[in-house]
Amino acid sequence: MNESITDVMNAEERLVFALRALFWRYGYRPYRMSKFEEYDLYAKNKDFLISEDVIVFTDKGGRLMALKPDVTLSIVNSVRVKKGEVERLCYNENVYRVPKGGVSFSEIMQTGLECIGDIDAYCVGEVLCLAAASLDLISQRFVLDVSHIGLLSAAVASLSLPKDAARKVCGYVSAKNVHEIMSVCRENGVSEEKANALSELTSLYGTPSDVMPKVKRIAELFFAEAEYAELSAALSVLETSPFRDRVRVDFSIVGDAGYYNGVVFKGFVDGVPEAVLSGGRYDGLLKKMKRDGGAAGFAVYLDTLAPIFRGKESFPGNGAVTESAESVTGKKPVYAKGCDIYEV
Amino acid sequence: MRSERMLNIALPKGRLGERVYGIFESAGLGVPSVNDGGRRLTFEDADVGVRYFWVKPSDVAIYVERGAADLGVAGKDILLEYRPDVYELLDLGIGKCRMASAGKADFNSYYDSGEFPLRVATKFPNIARDFFASRGRSIDIIKLHGSIELAPLLGLSDIIVDIVETGETLRENGLIVIEDIVEISARLIANKASHKFDFERIEGVVGSVAKIKEKK
């Protein structure tokens, strides 16, 4: 009996284990949720769900319950953070929803983290760094695309479009559909300068050092300097990270769920045709639940990794070598132990 | 970030696909074996670094969204109906037609009355639903797979929502266009992940194709 625990794990289990170890080292303590939530939570926050379809049943006491379609909503609903403090939590949970384009419910394994409370730009930067480190555990060929919903919203708002046209333009930005953006702007009498600036913002793709000077110029035109500063501050945390050259600024990233309102990001690994990680800042959800402070987090969608799981016992990334993520933020990590967070 | 890999391009089978291939060929991305004839569905040239697939036009977006193809050319009707999560990088300006509602020539004001739900026969239920929802008109969708023009003639539906090119088929069946819904043309689409890992090469193809389009 010389096998270690990791010897008997399959590739997915090993990855989950490595991710949890990474989060733990940065002070994120595991958080376990009940499988069920009262349906009322989702009914009141449908705008914040990726898919509105929820599996509902009547509990013994007659209460209408639901199988979790989303983890973030449940965590924000359950966790109370004292003023001035930050709670760092990580999870590994199944959610139940209809995947995009799907025809029936699926059980989807999600691993992720949430940083809730009195958060600042550094916290958002730390979450970005951990997202990059998580991708590195999956595959060494990855990119982390970062955007800012507030900056994009300010740009679209400054076009003074009718509501329906503004909604369409947001969709065109996420599809990098410059020809339709120009067409809607022409139809609605938007100035050529602003239409061109939004098109440029849509087409931009590159490292922060290449792209951010252009974003700054565009943000000034749309009076979105505060949003630019927020994005810039979060990205600056990554400058000391070993993953800085894997980060791209891309405003086609708009976030899957409706609760994102600041920095948003998605992670891609070579060989998987869709995002394998998604996250961002979601202060709006806390505000709606009448809580103080802000929040940021992300989830790794393990179900999307099937193309690189197949026939492999380990990942092409650093999944088995969790030490690689030791200095993801360029600073000394903090470790979680039980319910406490302490420095080593 | 990627380099050596073949760039996979899904083209719609048929006349439109042949025109699209002509544009790619003019852009320096030709694969001579395409002209060999026969029933082969894939053609590649390692020197050019490109592989083409001929697929059913309505399937192009699925191939691209699922990453089987990095690039593809699909009609705007397909993109609006199936809403694939892809980048729409260029309007090729070919295969132009329009999506319209049509009905019998003696069709009366019932279209706008709102007294009863309008029975709409169509191959494009999402486009029809979105269009009538935007004007607050309740409808009853009847999903058909072909010969849509028959539906109002046999009383199966009040109107149809379908693609109109010349309008000849409608005229021959005693139908008239009631209202244009959206302009349709062929669009160059890209898988989102491929666009990130092969950014320079894909943007290079888009730029070359755009130049050919401008010349035409």
Side-chain angles (χ1 to χ4, degrees):
Chain A
M1 294 291 281
N2 292 323
E3 295 92 351
S4 70
I5 291 176
T6 50
D7 288 338
V8 296
M9 288 177 174
N10 64 26
E12 183 179 285
E13 288 163 339
R14 241 178 258 166
L15 177 66
V16 169
F17 183 77
L19 287 169
R20 179 175 282 208
L22 168 69
F23 302 157
W24 180 271
R25 280 204 307 284
Y26 281 83
Y28 288 77
R29 68 178 172 92
Y31 189 83
R32 185 81 189 146
M33 276 161 284
S34 154
K35 262 196 168 50
F36 316 127
E37 283 279 2
E38 288 204 38
Y39 174 66
D40 196 40
L41 171 67
Y42 305 115
K44 281 181 182 163
N45 296 288
K46 276 197 165 174
D47 292 352
F48 292 121
L49 294 174
I50 293 172
S51 153
E52 284 192 9
D53 300 300
V54 180
I55 299 177
V56 179
F57 64 96
T58 308
D59 203 10
K60 220 174 166 188
R63 286 186 308 167
L64 201 55
M65 305 296 285
L67 265 72
K68 286 190 305 288
D70 181 87
V71 177
T72 304
L73 261 176
S74 295
I75 290 187
V76 172
N77 188 45
S78 315
V79 173
R80 299 286 186 277
V81 185
K82 286 180 194 158
K83 208 165 185 172
E85 291 187 1
V86 175
E87 187 78 74
R88 289 177 169 84
L89 305 165
C90 63
Y91 60 83
N92 181 41
E93 297 276 342
N94 281 320
V95 295
Y96 303 86
R97 62 177 174 233
V98 179
K100 192 181 172 296
V103 291
S104 59
F105 280 93
S106 290
E107 184 180 55
I108 300 165
M109 174 69 86
Q110 272 187 20
T111 291
L113 59 82
E114 312 290 349
C115 183
I116 306 170
D118 195 12
I119 67 167
D120 55 14
Y122 178 78
C123 292
V124 179
E126 176 189 279
V127 169
L128 275 174
C129 290
L130 285 165
S134 301
L135 292 166
D136 184 57
L137 291 174
I138 299 166
S139 168
Q140 290 179 317
R141 294 175 65 81
F142 75 88
V143 288
L144 180 67
D145 285 0
V146 186
S147 166
H148 194 292
I149 287 283
L151 200 157
L152 179 62
S153 302
V156 174
S158 93
L159 306 180
S160 305
L161 295 168
K163 202 175 165 187
D164 192 42
R167 189 182 51 79
K168 279 186 182 167
V169 163
C170 289
Y172 296 148
V173 172
S174 78
K176 288 195 179 284
N177 185 343
V178 170
H179 46 276
E180 304 264 25
I181 291 173
M182 294 304 281
S183 163
V184 171
C185 287
R186 267 195 304 273
E187 282 165 20
N188 289 278
V190 174
S191 74
E192 206 168 307
E193 185 189 24
K194 283 188 173 176
N196 287 335
L198 183 62
S199 296
E200 189 184 352
L201 192 69
T202 303
S203 301
L204 284 177
Y205 189 71
T207 58
S209 57
D210 285 345
V211 169
M212 285 303 274
K214 293 172 194 162
V215 175
K216 188 178 183 201
R217 179 174 44 79
I218 295 168
E220 282 166 4
L221 177 71
F222 291 122
F223 303 106
E225 289 94 339
E227 289 80 2
Y228 167 81
E230 213 175 280
L231 174 62
S232 188
L235 288 170
S236 71
V237 179
L238 280 154
E239 279 169 17
T240 52
S241 149
F243 310 118
R244 59 190 172 277
D245 60 337
R246 305 296 185 85
V247 178
R248 305 283 183 271
V249 176
D250 182 355
F251 281 86
S252 74
I253 301 299
V254 292
D256 292 328
Y259 43 65
Y260 296 118
N261 59 303
V263 171
V264 286
F265 51 89
K266 281 191 180 180
F268 295 83
V269 298
D270 199 4
V272 179
E274 59 190 313
V276 302
L277 176 151
S278 176
R281 185 161 182 167
Y282 54 91
D283 301 359
L285 179 60
L286 272 79
K287 200 174 169 188
K288 196 181 174 206
M289 290 186 167
K290 297 188 171 54
R291 308 275 170 80
D292 292 329
F298 66 82
V300 178
Y301 302 121
L302 296 169
D303 59 313
T304 61
L305 300 177
I308 54 173
F309 269 136
R310 275 187 210 111
K312 286 185 182 143
E313 287 184 3
S314 64
F315 281 86
N318 286 314
V321 193
T322 54
E323 296 309 312
S324 70
E326 196 66 42
S327 59
V328 292
T329 61
K331 292 193 176 182
K332 204 173 180 183
V334 290
Y335 283 66
K337 184 184 180 186
C339 293
D340 301 311
I341 295 168
Y342 66 98
E343 294 251 3
V344 287
Chain B
M1 199 174 268
R2 252 184 225 164
S3 53
E4 303 304 317
R5 215 178 52 89
M6 201 75 94
L7 198 63
N8 293 316
I9 304 177
L11 297 179
K13 263 195 251 178
R15 232 174 12 181
L16 176 65
E18 284 161 19
R19 285 183 70 190
V20 171
Y21 174 73
I23 294 176
F24 278 94
E25 191 175 38
S26 306
L29 296 162
V31 172
S33 57
V34 164
N35 300 318
D36 290 351
R39 291 179 171 224
R40 274 179 61 198
L41 297 173
T42 65
F43 302 88
E44 63 183 64
D45 187 318
D47 294 334
V48 186
V50 171
R51 179 187 295 127
Y52 292 100
F53 314 139
W54 293 116
V55 302
K56 193 175 171 181
S58 56
D59 288 342
V60 169
I62 297 167
Y63 276 79
V64 175
E65 184 182 34
R66 296 281 183 146
D70 303 300
L71 286 170
V73 173
K76 185 67 184 176
D77 51 327
I78 300 298
L79 301 178
L80 288 170
E81 182 60 28
Y82 298 104
R83 298 163 195 167
D85 190 17
V86 295
Y87 286 141
E88 185 184 321
L89 300 175
L90 202 59
D91 179 354
L92 295 176
I94 58 171
K96 282 186 175 176
C97 53
R98 60 202 159 123
M99 185 73 66
S101 62
K104 282 203 250 183
D106 61 352
F107 193 76
N108 56 26
S109 59
Y110 183 58
Y111 184 77
D112 279 323
S113 78
E115 205 174 326
F116 300 101
L118 202 58
R119 294 175 303 155
V120 182
T122 184
K123 273 194 276 189
F124 303 95
N126 288 325
I127 295 175
R129 198 174 290 122
D130 283 355
F131 176 70
F132 287 104
S134 73
R135 50 173 55 201
R137 180 77 167 97
S138 70
I139 59 168
D140 176 16
I141 297 271
I142 300 160
K143 170 88 196 267
L144 295 177
H145 299 275
S147 304
I148 312 293
E149 295 82 4
L150 261 180
L153 300 180
L154 300 179
L156 177 64
S157 73
D158 298 315
I159 62 159
I160 64 171
V161 165
D162 204 10
I163 288 172
V164 180
E165 282 182 70
T166 61
E168 194 52 40
T169 314
L170 291 178
R171 272 192 295 278
E172 283 182 13
N173 288 288
L175 302 177
I176 56 161
V177 169
I178 301 169
E179 195 172 11
D180 288 339
I181 293 176
V182 64
E183 299 289 327
I184 306 291
S185 58
R187 311 295 167 103
L188 179 61
I189 58 174
N191 174 269
K192 288 190 169 182
S194 299
H195 189 259
K196 291 162 200 317
F197 290 102
D198 248 337
F199 181 72
E200 274 90 20
R201 198 151 55 134
I202 287 179
E203 282 299 312
V205 170
V206 174
S208 307
V209 170
K211 274 184 198 157
I212 300 298
K213 183 196 146 193
E214 274 167 29
K215 277 186 201 164
K216 290 190 174 179

